[in-house]
Amino acid sequence: MMEITTGVNWLAVIVGTVAAFIAGWAWYSPKLMGQKWADGSNVTINSADNMPIDAMAAQFIGLFLISWFVSLMAANDKLLTVILVTLGFIVLAWSGSAFAKQNTTARNINAGYWIIAVVIMILANAMF
C-alpha cells in the first residue's frame, strides 16, 4: 500500500499550490476571464477588499491537496493517473456548474483554469 507522503516533493507541492493560486487570481481577473465568468455565473465582481475570504481559503486548501496528489503520483510514475483524475474532476465540475445554471462560457473558463492549475503543478514537480 502506497503511503500518502512517500516520495512527495514538498517544495513542488508548495510552489505548485502558490503558483496555481496566483494563476487563478490572474485568470479570473477582469482583465482576462473574470468579467465573462461573472456574467455567465450571475455574480458581480467586487473590489479586492471585498473578496470572499472563505472561498479563497477553500480554494487554497483544495489546490494544496491537488498539488500533493500530483506530487505523490509523480513520485510513483503515475502522471497518466493525474490526467485521468483531472479530466474526471473537470467533467464533474462542469456538470455541477451546469446544475448551478452557469452558462457554457463560465463552465469552460472554470475548466480551463483547472487544466492550467494541474499543468502548473506537474511543471513544479518537473522543476524541483
Side-chain angles (χ1 to χ4, degrees), residues 3-15:
E3 293 290 327
I4 63 171
T5 58
T6 303
V8 171
N9 181 338
W10 292 107
L11 178 60
V13 171
I14 298 302
V15 169

Side-chain angles (χ1 to χ4, degrees), residues 32-113:
L32 288 179
M33 301 294 178
Q35 194 57 55
K36 289 179 184 176
W37 175 84
D39 292 344
S41 302
N42 295 317
V43 297
T44 302
I45 294 180
N46 294 320
S47 63
D49 61 338
N50 199 13
M51 299 294 284
I53 299 301
D54 56 343
M56 294 182 75
Q59 179 80 6
F60 192 85
I61 292 166
L63 288 169
F64 174 81
L65 293 171
I66 293 169
S67 191
W68 181 355
F69 172 75
V70 169
S71 186
L72 181 63
M73 293 296 102
N76 291 282
D77 295 322
K78 306 259 186 221
L79 286 178
L80 290 178
T81 302
V82 170
I83 293 168
L84 180 63
V85 169
T86 299
L87 291 174
F89 175 78
I90 289 170
V91 169
L92 289 172
W94 200 91
S95 73
S97 295
F99 278 113
K101 304 291 187 205
Q102 284 185 326
N103 72 17
T104 303
T105 299
R107 287 181 261 158
N108 290 342
I109 289 169
N110 288 338
Y113 170 65

